Amino acid sequence: MDSLLRVTGWDGQGAVQPWSEIEAELGTELPGDYKQLCQAFGVGEFSREVSVLCADETRVLDLPRWWRVLLKSDSLDGSFAPYRIHLPGTTGGLIPWGGARSDDWFFWQVTDGTVDEWPVLAMQVDVQEWSRYEMTATEFLHRILTDRTFRPHSVARSAFGPFFEPV
């Protein structure tokens, strides 16, 4: 988390997030680093490329709203095969937490382990290709913002470096 604040030059804003409501709807706790991320940055865009889903009054980048939308579409056409969107009370499903303008989606896979050890799964929608990363959401976000070799999801092309713009 500190490395994201440092590389973006963001000082953190203390965004209020209704974690108990969100976690009650999802039927699971959410990773601690993600909660810190949403509280420090709030709703916005990193490097004009990557958005993180948090609680969002505008509902554009609202995690519970996107989870419900994806859950509904998943039950209709299986568009996340071989995975499924998370159903409360189960493991193995996916919870969305972010995405990129390149039409990549970022998820956690809910596992039996601790929530802070959930892997990140990234989907390239245009080719329906999945990648699995044994790292936290903030580690993944830091890598795609700063590491040009972190393919296929890197957005570290900007001459301005990583930055954050609130919505």
Side-chain angles (χ1 to χ4, degrees):
M1 187 59 215
D2 289 337
S3 60
L4 276 175
L5 290 168
R6 194 172 29 262
V7 301
T8 60
W10 190 250
D11 61 2
Q13 64 180 11
V16 176
Q17 299 288 308
W19 296 124
S20 59
E21 294 172 27
I22 293 170
E23 292 173 334
E25 182 172 357
L26 295 172
T28 186
E29 185 180 351
L30 292 170
D33 73 301
Y34 163 76
K35 292 179 186 180
Q36 292 175 350
L37 176 67
C38 286
Q39 288 170 203
F41 288 93
V43 177
E45 197 168 48
F46 290 88
S47 300
R48 293 194 179 130
E49 297 274 345
V50 179
S51 299
V52 174
L53 303 175
C54 299
D56 178 12
E57 292 177 4
T58 69
R59 305 195 37 87
V60 173
L61 296 173
D62 187 60
L63 182 139
R65 177 182 170 269
W66 276 104
W67 171 72
R68 287 188 300 271
V69 166
L70 296 177
L71 183 61
K72 184 181 283 189
S73 70
D74 184 41
S75 63
L76 295 175
D77 64 10
S79 56
F80 300 99
Y83 304 101
R84 300 297 305 257
I85 299 300
H86 169 71
L87 289 170
T90 66
T91 60
L94 304 178
I95 296 176
W97 64 263
R101 288 188 181 213
S102 59
D103 212 13
D104 291 354
W105 278 94
F106 312 132
F107 301 86
W108 293 287
Q109 184 175 31
V110 177
T111 65
D112 289 327
T114 66
V115 298
D116 292 323
E117 295 175 352
W118 287 349
V120 169
L121 273 71
M123 178 189 196
Q124 291 177 273
V125 175
D126 58 342
V127 293
Q128 295 287 302
E129 189 170 304
W130 290 93
S131 301
R132 179 185 178 100
Y133 301 93
E134 299 296 330
M135 61 180 65
T136 65
T138 53
E139 290 173 303
F140 180 82
L141 183 57
H142 186 268
R143 291 281 307 271
I144 66 174
L145 292 173
T146 62
D147 184 351
R148 291 176 188 247
T149 66
F150 193 61
R151 295 289 178 195
H153 305 290
S154 177
V155 298
R157 299 179 297 275
S158 172
F160 302 109
F163 60 94
F164 179 76
E165 294 177 311
V167 173

mmCIF file of all heavy atoms in Angstrom, residues 97-140:
data_model
loop_
_atom_site.group_PDB
_atom_site.id
_atom_site.type_symbol
_atom_site.label_atom_id
_atom_site.label_comp_id
_atom_site.label_asym_id
_atom_site.label_seq_id
_atom_site.Cartn_x
_atom_site.Cartn_y
_atom_site.Cartn_z
ATOM 1 N N TRP A 97 -12.735 -6.791 -8.516
ATOM 2 C CA TRP A 97 -12.223 -5.666 -7.729
ATOM 3 C C TRP A 97 -11.646 -4.558 -8.595
ATOM 4 O O TRP A 97 -11.375 -3.463 -8.115
ATOM 5 C CB TRP A 97 -11.214 -6.115 -6.676
ATOM 6 C CG TRP A 97 -9.955 -6.723 -7.202
ATOM 7 C CD1 TRP A 97 -9.697 -8.055 -7.333
ATOM 8 C CD2 TRP A 97 -8.785 -6.038 -7.654
ATOM 9 N NE1 TRP A 97 -8.436 -8.237 -7.854
ATOM 10 C CE2 TRP A 97 -7.857 -7.008 -8.048
ATOM 11 C CE3 TRP A 97 -8.429 -4.689 -7.761
ATOM 12 C CZ2 TRP A 97 -6.591 -6.690 -8.558
ATOM 13 C CZ3 TRP A 97 -7.171 -4.362 -8.264
ATOM 14 C CH2 TRP A 97 -6.267 -5.358 -8.652
ATOM 15 N N GLY A 98 -11.501 -4.787 -9.895
ATOM 16 C CA GLY A 98 -10.967 -3.721 -10.742
ATOM 17 C C GLY A 98 -10.958 -4.102 -12.198
ATOM 18 O O GLY A 98 -11.343 -5.208 -12.584
ATOM 19 N N GLY A 99 -10.505 -3.163 -12.999
ATOM 20 C CA GLY A 99 -10.419 -3.405 -14.425
ATOM 21 C C GLY A 99 -9.603 -2.323 -15.109
ATOM 22 O O GLY A 99 -9.260 -1.301 -14.510
ATOM 23 N N ALA A 100 -9.287 -2.573 -16.376
ATOM 24 C CA ALA A 100 -8.506 -1.636 -17.172
ATOM 25 C C ALA A 100 -9.271 -1.268 -18.429
ATOM 26 O O ALA A 100 -10.127 -2.021 -18.896
ATOM 27 C CB ALA A 100 -7.156 -2.253 -17.532
ATOM 28 N N ARG A 101 -8.950 -0.116 -18.979
ATOM 29 C CA ARG A 101 -9.603 0.333 -20.219
ATOM 30 C C ARG A 101 -9.354 -0.620 -21.378
ATOM 31 O O ARG A 101 -10.097 -0.626 -22.338
ATOM 32 C CB ARG A 101 -9.127 1.732 -20.584
ATOM 33 C CG ARG A 101 -9.689 2.787 -19.668
ATOM 34 C CD ARG A 101 -9.368 4.156 -20.173
ATOM 35 N NE ARG A 101 -9.906 5.143 -19.268
ATOM 36 C CZ ARG A 101 -10.354 6.304 -19.649
ATOM 37 N NH1 ARG A 101 -10.304 6.650 -20.919
ATOM 38 N NH2 ARG A 101 -10.830 7.153 -18.767
ATOM 39 N N SER A 102 -8.308 -1.430 -21.276
ATOM 40 C CA SER A 102 -8.005 -2.408 -22.322
ATOM 41 C C SER A 102 -8.957 -3.598 -22.276
ATOM 42 O O SER A 102 -8.768 -4.565 -22.981
ATOM 43 C CB SER A 102 -6.568 -2.898 -22.169
ATOM 44 O OG SER A 102 -6.396 -3.479 -20.888
ATOM 45 N N ASP A 103 -9.995 -3.490 -21.457
ATOM 46 C CA ASP A 103 -11.007 -4.528 -21.286
ATOM 47 C C ASP A 103 -10.457 -5.759 -20.575
ATOM 48 O O ASP A 103 -10.792 -6.888 -20.895
ATOM 49 C CB ASP A 103 -11.665 -4.909 -22.615
ATOM 50 C CG ASP A 103 -13.124 -5.330 -22.424
ATOM 51 O OD1 ASP A 103 -13.674 -5.082 -21.335
ATOM 52 O OD2 ASP A 103 -13.699 -5.917 -23.344
ATOM 53 N N ASP A 104 -9.599 -5.484 -19.601
ATOM 54 C CA ASP A 104 -9.140 -6.523 -18.684
ATOM 55 C C ASP A 104 -9.959 -6.376 -17.410
ATOM 56 O O ASP A 104 -10.273 -5.261 -16.985
ATOM 57 C CB ASP A 104 -7.662 -6.343 -18.321
ATOM 58 C CG ASP A 104 -6.722 -6.622 -19.486
ATOM 59 O OD1 ASP A 104 -7.184 -7.063 -20.552
ATOM 60 O OD2 ASP A 104 -5.518 -6.382 -19.319
ATOM 61 N N TRP A 105 -10.295 -7.508 -16.784
ATOM 62 C CA TRP A 105 -11.015 -7.508 -15.512
ATOM 63 C C TRP A 105 -10.162 -8.204 -14.477
ATOM 64 O O TRP A 105 -9.523 -9.211 -14.765
ATOM 65 C CB TRP A 105 -12.347 -8.260 -15.659
ATOM 66 C CG TRP A 105 -13.403 -7.393 -16.244
ATOM 67 C CD1 TRP A 105 -13.736 -7.293 -17.564
ATOM 68 C CD2 TRP A 105 -14.250 -6.493 -15.537
ATOM 69 N NE1 TRP A 105 -14.742 -6.376 -17.713
ATOM 70 C CE2 TRP A 105 -15.082 -5.873 -16.482
ATOM 71 C CE3 TRP A 105 -14.387 -6.152 -14.205
ATOM 72 C CZ2 TRP A 105 -16.038 -4.934 -16.120
ATOM 73 C CZ3 TRP A 105 -15.338 -5.226 -13.839
ATOM 74 C CH2 TRP A 105 -16.147 -4.629 -14.807
ATOM 75 N N PHE A 106 -10.201 -7.675 -13.236
ATOM 76 C CA PHE A 106 -9.409 -8.225 -12.146
ATOM 77 C C PHE A 106 -10.348 -8.720 -11.048
ATOM 78 O O PHE A 106 -11.271 -8.014 -10.648
ATOM 79 C CB PHE A 106 -8.441 -7.177 -11.597
ATOM 80 C CG PHE A 106 -7.669 -6.472 -12.681
ATOM 81 C CD1 PHE A 106 -7.565 -5.088 -12.682
ATOM 82 C CD2 PHE A 106 -7.055 -7.179 -13.702
ATOM 83 C CE1 PHE A 106 -6.872 -4.429 -13.673
ATOM 84 C CE2 PHE A 106 -6.355 -6.524 -14.714
ATOM 85 C CZ PHE A 106 -6.256 -5.142 -14.691
ATOM 86 N N PHE A 107 -10.072 -9.935 -10.583
ATOM 87 C CA PHE A 107 -10.921 -10.603 -9.599
ATOM 88 C C PHE A 107 -10.058 -11.203 -8.504
ATOM 89 O O PHE A 107 -8.866 -11.432 -8.692
ATOM 90 C CB PHE A 107 -11.674 -11.779 -10.242
ATOM 91 C CG PHE A 107 -12.552 -11.428 -11.393
ATOM 92 C CD1 PHE A 107 -12.048 -11.345 -12.688
ATOM 93 C CD2 PHE A 107 -13.901 -11.202 -11.197
ATOM 94 C CE1 PHE A 107 -12.869 -11.037 -13.751
ATOM 95 C CE2 PHE A 107 -14.737 -10.899 -12.252
ATOM 96 C CZ PHE A 107 -14.221 -10.817 -13.540
ATOM 97 N N TRP A 108 -10.699 -11.528 -7.395
ATOM 98 C CA TRP A 108 -10.124 -12.461 -6.434
ATOM 99 C C TRP A 108 -10.852 -13.773 -6.640
ATOM 100 O O TRP A 108 -12.039 -13.800 -6.958
ATOM 101 C CB TRP A 108 -10.408 -12.075 -4.979
ATOM 102 C CG TRP A 108 -9.769 -10.841 -4.511
ATOM 103 C CD1 TRP A 108 -8.448 -10.634 -4.229
ATOM 104 C CD2 TRP A 108 -10.443 -9.627 -4.202
ATOM 105 N NE1 TRP A 108 -8.275 -9.359 -3.777
ATOM 106 C CE2 TRP A 108 -9.485 -8.725 -3.754
ATOM 107 C CE3 TRP A 108 -11.780 -9.211 -4.267
ATOM 108 C CZ2 TRP A 108 -9.805 -7.433 -3.364
ATOM 109 C CZ3 TRP A 108 -12.096 -7.934 -3.892
ATOM 110 C CH2 TRP A 108 -11.116 -7.056 -3.445
ATOM 111 N N GLN A 109 -10.163 -14.856 -6.393
ATOM 112 C CA GLN A 109 -10.825 -16.146 -6.323
ATOM 113 C C GLN A 109 -10.991 -16.478 -4.845
ATOM 114 O O GLN A 109 -10.009 -16.557 -4.107
ATOM 115 C CB GLN A 109 -10.040 -17.248 -7.016
ATOM 116 C CG GLN A 109 -10.805 -18.555 -7.019
ATOM 117 C CD GLN A 109 -10.103 -19.633 -7.796
ATOM 118 O OE1 GLN A 109 -8.883 -19.682 -7.868
ATOM 119 N NE2 GLN A 109 -10.890 -20.526 -8.372
ATOM 120 N N VAL A 110 -12.237 -16.629 -4.420
ATOM 121 C CA VAL A 110 -12.539 -16.947 -3.025
ATOM 122 C C VAL A 110 -12.095 -18.374 -2.766
ATOM 123 O O VAL A 110 -12.539 -19.296 -3.439
ATOM 124 C CB VAL A 110 -14.053 -16.775 -2.745
ATOM 125 C CG1 VAL A 110 -14.388 -17.169 -1.315
ATOM 126 C CG2 VAL A 110 -14.488 -15.344 -3.042
ATOM 127 N N THR A 111 -11.184 -18.532 -1.814
ATOM 128 C CA THR A 111 -10.665 -19.860 -1.494
ATOM 129 C C THR A 111 -10.935 -20.171 -0.027
ATOM 130 O O THR A 111 -11.419 -19.324 0.719
ATOM 131 C CB THR A 111 -9.146 -19.939 -1.757
ATOM 132 O OG1 THR A 111 -8.478 -19.057 -0.849
ATOM 133 C CG2 THR A 111 -8.809 -19.574 -3.192
ATOM 134 N N ASP A 112 -10.589 -21.392 0.377
ATOM 135 C CA ASP A 112 -10.730 -21.791 1.774
ATOM 136 C C ASP A 112 -9.692 -21.131 2.668
ATOM 137 O O ASP A 112 -9.846 -21.103 3.870
ATOM 138 C CB ASP A 112 -10.605 -23.314 1.912
ATOM 139 C CG ASP A 112 -11.819 -24.031 1.331
ATOM 140 O OD1 ASP A 112 -12.926 -23.474 1.403
ATOM 141 O OD2 ASP A 112 -11.642 -25.134 0.803
ATOM 142 N N GLY A 113 -8.619 -20.582 2.079
ATOM 143 C CA GLY A 113 -7.575 -19.934 2.865
ATOM 144 C C GLY A 113 -8.050 -18.589 3.404
ATOM 145 O O GLY A 113 -9.205 -18.186 3.215
ATOM 146 N N THR A 114 -7.142 -17.892 4.048
ATOM 147 C CA THR A 114 -7.497 -16.571 4.570
ATOM 148 C C THR A 114 -7.728 -15.606 3.415
ATOM 149 O O THR A 114 -7.129 -15.749 2.341
ATOM 150 C CB THR A 114 -6.395 -16.012 5.490
ATOM 151 O OG1 THR A 114 -5.228 -15.764 4.709
ATOM 152 C CG2 THR A 114 -6.070 -16.960 6.624
ATOM 153 N N VAL A 115 -8.577 -14.613 3.641
ATOM 154 C CA VAL A 115 -8.929 -13.666 2.568
ATOM 155 C C VAL A 115 -7.709 -12.909 2.063
ATOM 156 O O VAL A 115 -7.662 -12.547 0.883
ATOM 157 C CB VAL A 115 -10.034 -12.677 2.999
ATOM 158 C CG1 VAL A 115 -11.310 -13.403 3.328
ATOM 159 C CG2 VAL A 115 -9.596 -11.803 4.147
ATOM 160 N N ASP A 116 -6.737 -12.677 2.925
ATOM 161 C CA ASP A 116 -5.544 -11.944 2.496
ATOM 162 C C ASP A 116 -4.626 -12.790 1.619
ATOM 163 O O ASP A 116 -3.643 -12.272 1.078
ATOM 164 C CB ASP A 116 -4.790 -11.409 3.717
ATOM 165 C CG ASP A 116 -5.573 -10.314 4.426
ATOM 166 O OD1 ASP A 116 -6.240 -9.509 3.738
ATOM 167 O OD2 ASP A 116 -5.547 -10.272 5.668
ATOM 168 N N GLU A 117 -4.945 -14.069 1.448
ATOM 169 C CA GLU A 117 -4.168 -14.950 0.577
ATOM 170 C C GLU A 117 -4.912 -15.325 -0.701
ATOM 171 O O GLU A 117 -4.427 -16.147 -1.476
ATOM 172 C CB GLU A 117 -3.769 -16.213 1.340
ATOM 173 C CG GLU A 117 -2.826 -15.921 2.489
ATOM 174 C CD GLU A 117 -2.523 -17.156 3.322
ATOM 175 O OE1 GLU A 117 -3.148 -18.220 3.106
ATOM 176 O OE2 GLU A 117 -1.659 -17.064 4.196
ATOM 177 N N TRP A 118 -6.102 -14.738 -0.926
ATOM 178 C CA TRP A 118 -6.830 -15.041 -2.158
ATOM 179 C C TRP A 118 -5.979 -14.655 -3.364
ATOM 180 O O TRP A 118 -5.390 -13.567 -3.400
ATOM 181 C CB TRP A 118 -8.123 -14.259 -2.230
ATOM 182 C CG TRP A 118 -9.211 -14.702 -1.315
ATOM 183 C CD1 TRP A 118 -9.288 -15.826 -0.563
ATOM 184 C CD2 TRP A 118 -10.419 -13.979 -1.067
ATOM 185 N NE1 TRP A 118 -10.467 -15.871 0.133
ATOM 186 C CE2 TRP A 118 -11.187 -14.735 -0.157
ATOM 187 C CE3 TRP A 118 -10.931 -12.773 -1.522
ATOM 188 C CZ2 TRP A 118 -12.434 -14.339 0.286
ATOM 189 C CZ3 TRP A 118 -12.173 -12.367 -1.069
ATOM 190 C CH2 TRP A 118 -12.920 -13.140 -0.179
ATOM 191 N N PRO A 119 -5.915 -15.497 -4.379
ATOM 192 C CA PRO A 119 -5.180 -15.133 -5.588
ATOM 193 C C PRO A 119 -5.965 -14.115 -6.424
ATOM 194 O O PRO A 119 -7.189 -14.029 -6.347
ATOM 195 C CB PRO A 119 -5.063 -16.462 -6.341
ATOM 196 C CG PRO A 119 -6.235 -17.258 -5.878
ATOM 197 C CD PRO A 119 -6.476 -16.847 -4.450
ATOM 198 N N VAL A 120 -5.224 -13.356 -7.196
ATOM 199 C CA VAL A 120 -5.814 -12.452 -8.178
ATOM 200 C C VAL A 120 -5.912 -13.211 -9.494
ATOM 201 O O VAL A 120 -4.948 -13.827 -9.931
ATOM 202 C CB VAL A 120 -4.943 -11.190 -8.363
ATOM 203 C CG1 VAL A 120 -5.396 -10.377 -9.558
ATOM 204 C CG2 VAL A 120 -4.954 -10.353 -7.089
ATOM 205 N N LEU A 121 -7.078 -13.170 -10.114
ATOM 206 C CA LEU A 121 -7.259 -13.714 -11.454
ATOM 207 C C LEU A 121 -7.581 -12.545 -12.376
ATOM 208 O O LEU A 121 -8.431 -11.711 -12.050
ATOM 209 C CB LEU A 121 -8.387 -14.744 -11.498
ATOM 210 C CG LEU A 121 -7.967 -16.174 -11.160
ATOM 211 C CD1 LEU A 121 -7.648 -16.303 -9.692
ATOM 212 C CD2 LEU A 121 -9.012 -17.162 -11.580
ATOM 213 N N ALA A 122 -6.876 -12.477 -13.480
ATOM 214 C CA ALA A 122 -7.080 -11.399 -14.439
ATOM 215 C C ALA A 122 -7.556 -11.995 -15.751
ATOM 216 O O ALA A 122 -7.012 -12.986 -16.228
ATOM 217 C CB ALA A 122 -5.790 -10.615 -14.650
ATOM 218 N N MET A 123 -8.579 -11.375 -16.309
ATOM 219 C CA MET A 123 -9.169 -11.879 -17.553
ATOM 220 C C MET A 123 -9.016 -10.838 -18.657
ATOM 221 O O MET A 123 -9.392 -9.682 -18.489
ATOM 222 C CB MET A 123 -10.651 -12.160 -17.363
ATOM 223 C CG MET A 123 -11.342 -12.633 -18.619
ATOM 224 S SD MET A 123 -13.135 -12.697 -18.373
ATOM 225 C CE MET A 123 -13.616 -13.701 -19.738
ATOM 226 N N GLN A 124 -8.440 -11.272 -19.773
ATOM 227 C CA GLN A 124 -8.430 -10.453 -20.974
ATOM 228 C C GLN A 124 -9.712 -10.796 -21.719
ATOM 229 O O GLN A 124 -9.823 -11.867 -22.317
ATOM 230 C CB GLN A 124 -7.224 -10.776 -21.844
ATOM 231 C CG GLN A 124 -5.909 -10.359 -21.245
ATOM 232 C CD GLN A 124 -4.784 -10.794 -22.145
ATOM 233 O OE1 GLN A 124 -4.314 -11.909 -22.028
ATOM 234 N NE2 GLN A 124 -4.399 -9.918 -23.053
ATOM 235 N N VAL A 125 -10.665 -9.906 -21.675
ATOM 236 C CA VAL A 125 -11.997 -10.190 -22.204
ATOM 237 C C VAL A 125 -11.969 -10.460 -23.704
ATOM 238 O O VAL A 125 -12.615 -11.396 -24.183
ATOM 239 C CB VAL A 125 -12.974 -9.044 -21.863
ATOM 240 C CG1 VAL A 125 -14.320 -9.271 -22.522
ATOM 241 C CG2 VAL A 125 -13.121 -8.910 -20.357
ATOM 242 N N ASP A 126 -11.190 -9.692 -24.454
ATOM 243 C CA ASP A 126 -11.216 -9.840 -25.915
ATOM 244 C C ASP A 126 -10.748 -11.205 -26.397
ATOM 245 O O ASP A 126 -11.184 -11.682 -27.442
ATOM 246 C CB ASP A 126 -10.434 -8.721 -26.605
ATOM 247 C CG ASP A 126 -8.984 -8.644 -26.163
ATOM 248 O OD1 ASP A 126 -8.636 -9.192 -25.105
ATOM 249 O OD2 ASP A 126 -8.185 -8.017 -26.898
ATOM 250 N N VAL A 127 -9.882 -11.870 -25.641
ATOM 251 C CA VAL A 127 -9.412 -13.204 -26.045
ATOM 252 C C VAL A 127 -9.846 -14.291 -25.076
ATOM 253 O O VAL A 127 -9.449 -15.447 -25.231
ATOM 254 C CB VAL A 127 -7.870 -13.230 -26.219
ATOM 255 C CG1 VAL A 127 -7.430 -12.377 -27.382
ATOM 256 C CG2 VAL A 127 -7.168 -12.841 -24.940
ATOM 257 N N GLN A 128 -10.640 -13.911 -24.056
ATOM 258 C CA GLN A 128 -11.133 -14.862 -23.058
ATOM 259 C C GLN A 128 -9.988 -15.666 -22.450
ATOM 260 O O GLN A 128 -10.062 -16.881 -22.302
ATOM 261 C CB GLN A 128 -12.170 -15.807 -23.687
ATOM 262 C CG GLN A 128 -13.443 -15.122 -24.142
ATOM 263 C CD GLN A 128 -14.306 -14.718 -22.964
ATOM 264 O OE1 GLN A 128 -14.689 -15.557 -22.173
ATOM 265 N NE2 GLN A 128 -14.599 -13.449 -22.842
ATOM 266 N N GLU A 129 -8.913 -14.954 -22.090
ATOM 267 C CA GLU A 129 -7.751 -15.608 -21.507
ATOM 268 C C GLU A 129 -7.580 -15.187 -20.053
ATOM 269 O O GLU A 129 -7.680 -14.008 -19.723
ATOM 270 C CB GLU A 129 -6.501 -15.240 -22.302
ATOM 271 C CG GLU A 129 -5.285 -16.040 -21.910
ATOM 272 C CD GLU A 129 -4.145 -15.811 -22.879
ATOM 273 O OE1 GLU A 129 -4.340 -16.033 -24.083
ATOM 274 O OE2 GLU A 129 -3.067 -15.414 -22.413
ATOM 275 N N TRP A 130 -7.316 -16.171 -19.209
ATOM 276 C CA TRP A 130 -7.155 -15.956 -17.769
ATOM 277 C C TRP A 130 -5.702 -16.083 -17.366
ATOM 278 O O TRP A 130 -4.976 -16.925 -17.872
ATOM 279 C CB TRP A 130 -7.954 -16.993 -16.985
ATOM 280 C CG TRP A 130 -9.429 -16.817 -17.063
ATOM 281 C CD1 TRP A 130 -10.273 -17.415 -17.965
ATOM 282 C CD2 TRP A 130 -10.228 -15.998 -16.229
ATOM 283 N NE1 TRP A 130 -11.564 -17.012 -17.721
ATOM 284 C CE2 TRP A 130 -11.564 -16.137 -16.656
ATOM 285 C CE3 TRP A 130 -9.958 -15.158 -15.155
ATOM 286 C CZ2 TRP A 130 -12.620 -15.480 -16.050
ATOM 287 C CZ3 TRP A 130 -11.007 -14.485 -14.548
ATOM 288 C CH2 TRP A 130 -12.322 -14.653 -14.994
ATOM 289 N N SER A 131 -5.295 -15.255 -16.387
ATOM 290 C CA SER A 131 -3.983 -15.364 -15.749
ATOM 291 C C SER A 131 -4.210 -15.375 -14.242
ATOM 292 O O SER A 131 -5.083 -14.663 -13.735
ATOM 293 C CB SER A 131 -3.099 -14.172 -16.113
ATOM 294 O OG SER A 131 -2.916 -14.084 -17.504
ATOM 295 N N ARG A 132 -3.403 -16.175 -13.532
ATOM 296 C CA ARG A 132 -3.537 -16.293 -12.077
ATOM 297 C C ARG A 132 -2.265 -15.753 -11.429
ATOM 298 O O ARG A 132 -1.159 -16.082 -11.862
ATOM 299 C CB ARG A 132 -3.742 -17.756 -11.702
ATOM 300 C CG ARG A 132 -3.878 -18.002 -10.210
ATOM 301 C CD ARG A 132 -3.962 -19.499 -9.932
ATOM 302 N NE ARG A 132 -4.035 -19.760 -8.526
ATOM 303 C CZ ARG A 132 -5.162 -20.037 -7.863
ATOM 304 N NH1 ARG A 132 -6.306 -20.103 -8.524
ATOM 305 N NH2 ARG A 132 -5.132 -20.260 -6.578
ATOM 306 N N TYR A 133 -2.439 -14.959 -10.376
ATOM 307 C CA TYR A 133 -1.314 -14.349 -9.678
ATOM 308 C C TYR A 133 -1.447 -14.595 -8.190
ATOM 309 O O TYR A 133 -2.478 -14.279 -7.603
ATOM 310 C CB TYR A 133 -1.261 -12.842 -9.946
ATOM 311 C CG TYR A 133 -1.139 -12.527 -11.417
ATOM 312 C CD1 TYR A 133 -2.281 -12.292 -12.185
ATOM 313 C CD2 TYR A 133 0.102 -12.498 -12.040
ATOM 314 C CE1 TYR A 133 -2.179 -12.024 -13.547
ATOM 315 C CE2 TYR A 133 0.211 -12.239 -13.396
ATOM 316 C CZ TYR A 133 -0.937 -12.003 -14.144
ATOM 317 O OH TYR A 133 -0.827 -11.744 -15.485
ATOM 318 N N GLU A 134 -0.411 -15.144 -7.601
ATOM 319 C CA GLU A 134 -0.389 -15.388 -6.156
ATOM 320 C C GLU A 134 0.149 -14.137 -5.476
ATOM 321 O O GLU A 134 1.293 -14.095 -5.010
ATOM 322 C CB GLU A 134 0.452 -16.621 -5.829
ATOM 323 C CG GLU A 134 -0.038 -17.906 -6.451
ATOM 324 C CD GLU A 134 -1.403 -18.353 -5.964
ATOM 325 O OE1 GLU A 134 -1.755 -18.054 -4.794
ATOM 326 O OE2 GLU A 134 -2.127 -18.998 -6.746
ATOM 327 N N MET A 135 -0.664 -13.097 -5.460
ATOM 328 C CA MET A 135 -0.291 -11.830 -4.852
ATOM 329 C C MET A 135 -1.553 -11.067 -4.487
ATOM 330 O O MET A 135 -2.647 -11.416 -4.928
ATOM 331 C CB MET A 135 0.582 -10.999 -5.797
ATOM 332 C CG MET A 135 -0.086 -10.621 -7.112
ATOM 333 S SD MET A 135 0.951 -9.640 -8.233
ATOM 334 C CE MET A 135 2.267 -10.756 -8.636
ATOM 335 N N THR A 136 -1.374 -10.037 -3.673
ATOM 336 C CA THR A 136 -2.519 -9.226 -3.266
ATOM 337 C C THR A 136 -2.927 -8.273 -4.384
ATOM 338 O O THR A 136 -2.175 -8.058 -5.344
ATOM 339 C CB THR A 136 -2.176 -8.393 -2.015
ATOM 340 O OG1 THR A 136 -1.151 -7.447 -2.365
ATOM 341 C CG2 THR A 136 -1.726 -9.275 -0.857
ATOM 342 N N ALA A 137 -4.094 -7.699 -4.232
ATOM 343 C CA ALA A 137 -4.581 -6.719 -5.211
ATOM 344 C C ALA A 137 -3.637 -5.523 -5.300
ATOM 345 O O ALA A 137 -3.357 -5.025 -6.394
ATOM 346 C CB ALA A 137 -5.998 -6.269 -4.846
ATOM 347 N N THR A 138 -3.134 -5.052 -4.158
ATOM 348 C CA THR A 138 -2.246 -3.884 -4.200
ATOM 349 C C THR A 138 -0.902 -4.231 -4.841
ATOM 350 O O THR A 138 -0.338 -3.407 -5.562
ATOM 351 C CB THR A 138 -2.037 -3.277 -2.796
ATOM 352 O OG1 THR A 138 -1.612 -4.288 -1.888
ATOM 353 C CG2 THR A 138 -3.308 -2.633 -2.286
ATOM 354 N N GLU A 139 -0.393 -5.444 -4.614
ATOM 355 C CA GLU A 139 0.836 -5.866 -5.291
ATOM 356 C C GLU A 139 0.604 -5.930 -6.798
ATOM 357 O O GLU A 139 1.437 -5.479 -7.585
ATOM 358 C CB GLU A 139 1.292 -7.233 -4.787
ATOM 359 C CG GLU A 139 1.818 -7.237 -3.373
ATOM 360 C CD GLU A 139 2.083 -8.643 -2.869
ATOM 361 O OE1 GLU A 139 1.152 -9.471 -2.876
ATOM 362 O OE2 GLU A 139 3.233 -8.895 -2.459
ATOM 363 N N PHE A 140 -0.515 -6.516 -7.191
ATOM 364 C CA PHE A 140 -0.853 -6.622 -8.612
ATOM 365 C C PHE A 140 -0.975 -5.223 -9.233
ATOM 366 O O PHE A 140 -0.419 -4.956 -10.302
ATOM 367 C CB PHE A 140 -2.167 -7.402 -8.766
ATOM 368 C CG PHE A 140 -2.607 -7.568 -10.191
ATOM 369 C CD1 PHE A 140 -2.080 -8.575 -10.979
ATOM 370 C CD2 PHE A 140 -3.556 -6.724 -10.744
ATOM 371 C CE1 PHE A 140 -2.485 -8.742 -12.299
ATOM 372 C CE2 PHE A 140 -3.974 -6.875 -12.053
ATOM 373 C CZ PHE A 140 -3.432 -7.886 -12.838
#
